[in-house]
Amino acid sequence: MRSALGVDIGASGARAGRVGSSGLLGAMRRCRLGPALPREEVVRRIRALAVGVGGGGEVAAGVSFPAFLDGAGRVRHCVNLPGLEGADLRAELAPLLGHLPVLPIPDVSAAALAEARLGAGRGVRRLLCVVLGSGVNAGLTEAGRVVEVTFGCLGDAGHVIVAPGGRCPCGGVGHLEAICSGIGLAGAGRRSGFRDARALGRALARGDAAARRLVRAAGRALGRAVATWACMLAPDAVVLTGGLAALLGDELLGAAGRELARVGPPHLTAGLQLLRGQLGGSAALIGAGLAALDHVRGRNGRRRG
C-alpha cells in the first residue's frame, strides 16, 4: 500500500504519522513547538519528527498548519507560530525529507478532506467542516475534493459576523471567533468564574447552570454562522470537529442546531444535519497525508471555488 507522511503543525506542538488511503497507519509521534521559536528551529523539529515516523517507503509528505497559503505557496497570517510567516514549506522541507514531494495545506482544508473521505462526511456530496479550537474556521469539500476560494481554503470563515458586539482577537467586532472559540469562551468563562475553556467544559459536565448558559450562547452564535454559510455554500451536511467541539459536545451541537432551525432559510437549511466529527485530533494529519497521496497520483484533490 502506498503511504505518505502526514504532519500536522499546531500552536503548541506538531504530530506526524504514516497515512494510507484508509487512514492512519500505526502510531503518531509528537514534538513541542511554541510561538517564540524561530523558523529554522520549527523546521528542524518538524523534519526530525517526520523522519522518526517514516518507514522509508513513503511517496510524499503532506504538511498542515494553522494559517493560510498565498498565491506563491507561502504561509500567511500564521498568528500562533509567527516564525513560519512567509515560509515556503515545500522548498524548505523537501531537501530535509529525502526530496520527497511536499504538499502544504491549511489545517482546516486538511481536516475537511479527511472527514469527507474517512469520517462523518463519508457519502456526503457537499460537506462543510467547521473546526472549533483556539480559533474557528470552516472548510468545504465536494465529491471528496477540497473547494478552495482563497488562501488554500474557504478564507477566514470564522470571522463571519454573528452579533452586534463583542471584540474579536483580530480587532473586529461581532465575529463568530469572539464568541464560539477556545479563546472567546475562555474570556467569557473568566468573567463568570471559570479559569479557562477546559474548566468551563468540566463545569458543563457537572451540570453547572452558568456553564450551560455560556455554551448555549456560543452554540447559538455558531448556528447563526452555519445559516449564513449555508446561504452561500448550500452544504448537504455540516461536521463539527476540533478540540472545542469535543470538549463541549452535545450541548454546543444542540444549541447550534436549534438556532439554525430558527434563523436559517428553510429552502437551504431544513433538514440540514449537524454531525460530530469522527476523526478527532487526527483529522488534519490524516487529511494532509491524503492530499499528498492525491498529489503524487496526479489526482487533483482540490478545486477552485
Side-chain angles (χ1 to χ4, degrees), residues 18 24-28:
R18 293 175 58 241
L24 191 62
L25 305 174
M28 294 184 294

Side-chain angles (χ1 to χ4, degrees), residues 84-101:
L84 285 183
E85 184 69 25
D88 183 344
L89 293 177
R90 193 189 312 264
E92 294 187 32
L93 282 173
L96 303 177
L97 296 176
H99 293 281
L100 284 178

Side-chain angles (χ1 to χ4, degrees), residues 4-293:
L5 291 172
V7 180
D8 177 32
I9 302 171
S12 59
R15 293 178 287 190
R18 293 175 58 241
V19 177
S21 58
S22 61
L24 191 62
L25 305 174
M28 294 184 294
R29 290 188 64 191
R30 295 171 171 82
C31 73
R32 293 183 64 82
L33 299 174
L37 291 178
R39 181 188 304 177
E40 295 77 12
E41 180 61 16
V42 173
V43 170
R44 187 194 69 78
R45 293 188 187 189
I46 293 168
R47 184 261 181 193
L49 181 68
V51 168
V53 300
E58 293 76 26
V59 296
V63 182
S64 78
F65 51 90
F68 303 126
L69 279 176
D70 68 12
R74 295 182 179 275
V75 175
R76 295 299 182 203
H77 197 57
C78 197
V79 176
N80 294 323
L81 283 172
L84 285 183
E85 184 69 25
D88 183 344
L89 293 177
R90 193 189 312 264
E92 294 187 32
L93 282 173
L96 303 177
L97 296 176
H99 293 281
L100 284 178
V102 174
L103 186 79
I105 180 171
D107 56 1
V108 66
S109 291
L113 181 63
E115 287 288 354
R117 291 196 190 166
L118 301 174
R122 280 175 294 184
V124 176
R125 184 187 67 86
R126 195 168 174 86
L127 179 74
L128 182 67
C129 180
V130 182
V131 181
L132 301 167
S134 298
V136 187
N137 207 348
L140 183 71
T141 62
E142 186 166 25
R145 297 168 63 199
V146 172
V147 177
E148 295 181 2
V149 176
T150 187
F151 304 135
C153 55
L154 279 182
D156 212 347
H159 294 275
V160 63
I161 296 170
V162 295
R167 181 67 64 179
C168 182
C170 76
V173 174
H175 301 176
L176 176 65
E177 190 161 302
I179 303 168
C180 188
S181 69
I183 292 173
L185 271 170
R190 282 192 293 271
R191 292 190 290 273
S192 297
F194 303 107
R195 183 168 54 86
D196 53 24
R198 291 186 182 278
L200 176 65
R202 290 192 293 269
L204 179 68
R206 295 193 302 268
D208 184 273
R212 188 182 301 115
R213 283 194 298 271
L214 287 172
V215 173
R216 287 181 177 178
R220 288 192 294 271
L222 177 59
R224 292 192 289 274
V226 172
T228 300
W229 294 325
C231 291
M232 299 179 289
L233 304 171
D236 297 310
V238 180
V239 168
L240 305 182
T241 187
L244 191 69
L247 180 67
L248 304 181
D250 291 339
E251 196 70 53
L252 183 73
L253 194 70
R258 290 189 294 272
E259 187 70 358
L260 174 63
R262 187 182 75 86
V263 304
H267 66 290
L268 291 172
T269 59
L272 181 60
Q273 287 185 293
L274 301 186
L275 308 171
R276 294 182 70 169
Q278 294 180 353
L279 301 178
S282 302
L285 185 159
I286 293 170
L290 293 175
L293 287 172

